[in-house]
Amino acid sequence: MAKSVANLSDVATLAKVSKSTVSRVLNNKLGKGFSVTPEVKERILKVIEELNYKPNLIAQDLTKQRTRMISVLGGAHALSDLGNIYQTVLNNITNILDSAPGGFDVIVDMSHHPDGSSEIPAWRIDGAIVLARCSDETFEELEQRNVPYVVVNGTGRAKGASVVPDDIQGMKLAVEHLVKLGHKRIAYASAPLGHLIGHSSIEERHQTYLAEIKKLGLAVLDGHDKLFTSAEDYLKSVIYQNKATGIIAYGHMNALNIMQAAHFLGISIPQRLSLIAFCDKGATDIMSPGLTFMDLQSKQMGEIAANLLLDMIKETDCERKQVKIQEQLVFRDTTSSPEN
Amino acid sequence: MAKSVANLSDVATLAKVSKSTVSRVLNNKLGKGFSVTPEVKERILKVIEELNYKPNLIAQDLTKQRTRMISVLGGAHALSDLGNIYQTVLNNITNILDSAPGGFDVIVDMSHHPDGSSEIPAWRIDGAIVLARCSDETFEELEQRNVPYVVVNGTGRAKGASVVPDDIQGMKLAVEHLVKLGHKRIAYASAPLGHLIGHSSIEERHQTYLAEIKKLGLAVLDGHDKLFTSAEDYLKSVIYQNKATGIIAYGHMNALNIMQAAHFLGISIPQRLSLIAFCDKGATDIMSPGLTFMDLQSKQMGEIAANLLLDMIKETDCERKQVKIQEQLVFRDTTSSPEN
DNA sequence: TCACTAGGTCCTGTCAAAAGG
DNA sequence: CCCTTTTGACAGGACCTAGTG
């Protein structure tokens, strides 16, 4: 099935014109000192139709030095965790880049590049979005090749912009929410094992919990500094021994586990225990009752990241911005005043 | 920042050899009637190192008529539903294609192509994996361009291969499981709203439920033919009015909702109600107690799909295979003999 | 045979220039 | 000489066949 696809020359030959004329007609360069007789235009379009000719994108990319492809890196975690924020982020990034003038193809690279070997085809893409993080080599590559990139929920190198949620402000709000409801004994359920190690959210939420609780003269309860493993053990320690009435959970998976364990142990939510977690709306859909949560604003994060990237692609000498997004409390059914 | 990247000519000039020689050294064509003095080779490699030269993939693609890119279509649902099987499918596809001789880049196209306009860069990829389905135009394009493709959990057109779970066999097994445990009143919870409309699984599971139940002389219970919306309403109807002791659920989301509603209504699982659903292991991780499920074998589906695709890429005249995968019962904690 | 190179090829986009009136 | 319509040559970067000394 040799060369089943027609190319520009084929069209030109059949339409009895030169390749340039065909090219011009296709790229509508009519205003710019170029014109065609309607007759010729018609003829060319007819041949194109007949041959079902489509310009070869690879050749086009080569001449234009531009691929209109944007790569999303770190797809591994974007797809692994259930209900994490990256799905929302990704959807919103895609929406915007898609409908940008000219249109960009958003591509999620799923290949598990062996650690240490950067294999992003950096010279094949016009820009990149990094979800939380990528390998050092990859960052190196992006920087060297001057590929515009934005890190979402994480930080990059010198030339990269970033969009992160303001976890310090968020944790303050979470603590404040519970305190206002009347809670005095507030615990923190830290990030579960397997979560991105070293991610800034882990440190920031934890430290801010400690700082706020101390500032308010409340008791720091056990368990905040342990990796979250068994929700049942955690509840036994925190509720039975430490008499907590409220828990702030690192993420939605903690919250889910806690809710299930609470059911099992007969601890009613929110009567006996108030629960709040950091996540986005999407994650709470799998839970009932409706979880009170600190909204990480993943939709906004995606939108802002996409627009930053577009700016950077448009003007190469754009300043590298670091955007911090305010988190927002969504008050639902898992928090209330303590029983007593 | 004009042309910050070096190309083959630059290397050739600096190493004082011709472009061909550089190309050959890079592509290790030494056996095939080509040779270099170690000295020259050394020199070239040094220059490459200095300039940090990397071949331009686009140009490479153009000459080789091959991109080593594989596109995954239908990424929209792969990322939307929580815990669906496509995540597992995708991971396994990626693993295999990644480590195939030569290595393929797996790319998930996330762009929401406006309905009706096929915009897959078919002439830019070496093959495609379709998750469940894609637009008619896209199928048309794949067929016309002779792009090898495999549909996972769905069927394609003439030239496409496919891998699907055997839902008929699976449903038979599910019914058999409950019957063996002693259940006589078995209900079916159909696909929820928003699920891929017209997907063969919907029809096959439903019809097989009806056929099997009738064959065994049992009662077909209400609700099997309605779209699944409120789990609470469903349980009230099926358990209270229809006295069901077992439910076979279309998918993990139904099962999750049913479990939560059962908790709420005080219906204990598995004592009062046995529950089984079609899904894969990944989805059950968010549930407790451990769900008994019909394993759709998503890992296998991915592996088989990837290997089929590799075969099709290797030999274009490969027959279009339609693989059906046997489902497997995983017996856990949500099914048991009925109380009475 | 060894060690290497010139120049055509893949395909499209663009510019200077030429043809036709 | 001007205006409109059309064209040939070349760039873009790597690969490969045929060929030189």
Side-chain angles (χ1 to χ4, degrees), chain A residues 1 4-5 52-59 61-62 65 67 69 78-83 87 90-91 94-95 98 104-113 119 121 123-124 141 144-146 253 256 260 263 282-283 286-288 316-317, chain B residues 1 4-5 52-59 61-62 65 67 69 78-83 87 90-91 94-95 98 104-113 119 121 123-124 141 144-146 253 256 260 263 282-283 286-288 316-317:
Chain A
M1 41 190 73
S4 53
V5 265
N52 186 30
Y53 166 76
K54 299 266 170 65
N56 181 318
L57 281 198
I58 301 171
D61 291 345
L62 186 59
Q65 298 288 69
T67 62
M69 289 198 247
L79 284 168
S80 66
D81 240 41
L82 297 180
Q87 302 182 352
L90 202 46
N91 277 331
T94 307
N95 284 342
D98 239 11
F104 287 87
D105 251 352
V106 177
I107 271 168
V108 183
D109 187 281
M110 287 294 299
S111 307
H112 308 291
H113 307 295
E119 272 305 315
W123 45 97
R124 192 189 236 169
E141 195 77 37
Q144 267 191 26
R145 302 277 164 190
N146 268 313
M253 285 308 285
L256 187 66
Q260 288 171 338
H263 256 131
I286 52 174
M287 300 180 218
S288 81
T316 43
D317 288 337
Chain B
M1 41 191 73
S4 53
V5 267
N52 186 30
Y53 167 76
K54 299 267 169 64
N56 180 319
L57 282 198
I58 302 172
D61 291 344
L62 187 60
Q65 300 285 69
T67 62
M69 287 199 248
L79 284 168
S80 66
D81 239 41
L82 297 179
Q87 303 181 351
L90 202 47
N91 277 332
T94 307
N95 283 343
D98 237 12
F104 287 87
D105 250 351
V106 177
I107 270 168
V108 183
D109 187 279
M110 286 294 298
S111 307
H112 309 291
H113 307 295
E119 274 305 318
W123 46 98
R124 192 189 234 169
E141 194 77 37
Q144 268 191 28
R145 302 276 165 191
N146 269 314
M253 284 309 283
L256 187 66
Q260 288 169 337
H263 255 131
I286 54 174
M287 298 180 220
S288 80
T316 45
D317 288 336

Side-chain angles (χ1 to χ4, degrees), chain B residues 49-311:
Chain B
E49 178 83 13
E50 276 169 14
L51 295 181
N52 186 30
Y53 167 76
K54 299 267 169 64
N56 180 319
L57 282 198
I58 302 172
Q60 231 170 29
D61 291 344
L62 187 60
T63 48
K64 291 199 181 154
Q65 300 285 69
R66 185 171 40 108
T67 62
R68 305 214 69 89
M69 287 199 248
I70 298 221
S71 181
V72 174
L73 307 174
H77 21 117
L79 284 168
S80 66
D81 239 41
L82 297 179
N84 65 24
I85 59 167
Y86 298 113
Q87 303 181 351
T88 313
V89 170
L90 202 47
N91 277 332
N92 286 283
I93 286 175
T94 307
N95 283 343
I96 291 189
L97 294 180
D98 237 12
S99 49
F104 287 87
D105 250 351
V106 177
I107 270 168
V108 183
D109 187 279
M110 286 294 298
S111 307
H112 309 291
H113 307 295
D115 275 339
S117 83
S118 148
E119 274 305 318
I120 329 119
W123 46 98
R124 192 189 234 169
I125 57 176
D126 289 355
I129 298 270
V130 178
L131 300 177
R133 61 124 194 246
C134 61
S135 74
D136 287 346
E137 290 76 12
T138 301
F139 273 132
E140 205 67 57
E141 194 77 37
L142 292 172
E143 293 272 321
Q144 268 191 28
R145 302 276 165 191
N146 269 314
V147 178
Y149 69 96
V150 180
V151 185
V152 178
N153 197 22
T155 48
R157 303 286 181 81
K159 296 175 189 163
S162 77
V163 185
V164 293
D166 191 341
D167 280 314
I168 295 177
Q169 168 258 355
M171 179 56 90
K172 284 182 181 170
L173 240 66
V175 172
E176 186 190 35
H177 172 63
L178 290 179
V179 168
K180 271 192 180 159
L181 286 172
H183 293 270
K184 300 243 148 58
R185 300 192 66 79
I186 300 170
Y188 175 62
S190 62
L193 187 66
H195 192 84
L196 285 173
I197 295 158
H199 193 283
S200 62
S201 289
I202 296 178
E203 196 63 14
E204 286 188 359
R205 289 179 199 163
H206 186 205
Q207 291 306 328
T208 309
Y209 161 77
L210 293 176
E212 287 297 294
I213 292 292
K214 283 175 187 160
K215 204 177 76 186
L216 294 166
L218 300 176
V220 168
L221 301 190
D222 286 353
H224 63 85
D225 52 356
K226 285 184 211 126
L227 225 55
F228 188 87
T229 48
S230 157
E232 207 176 310
D233 292 349
Y234 178 80
L235 281 184
K236 281 180 184 162
S237 149
V238 155
I239 306 278
Y240 296 158
Q241 289 173 36
N242 282 286
K243 310 293 178 203
T245 60
I247 295 179
I248 301 175
Y250 175 82
H252 67 290
M253 284 309 283
N254 298 13
L256 187 66
N257 293 334
I258 287 173
M259 283 168 72
Q260 288 169 337
H263 255 131
F264 183 74
L265 295 171
I267 299 170
S268 60
I269 295 177
Q271 294 79 10
R272 173 91 180 273
L273 170 66
S274 281
L275 181 63
I276 182 171
F278 290 77
C279 58
D280 77 345
K281 196 191 150 299
T284 65
D285 290 344
I286 54 174
M287 298 180 220
S288 80
L291 183 70
T292 294
F293 63 102
M294 287 307 312
D295 192 343
L296 299 173
Q297 309 277 28
S298 41
K299 181 164 185 252
Q300 263 194 53
M301 293 218 307
E303 287 171 356
I304 293 175
N307 284 319
L308 279 180
L309 190 62
L310 286 177
D311 287 350

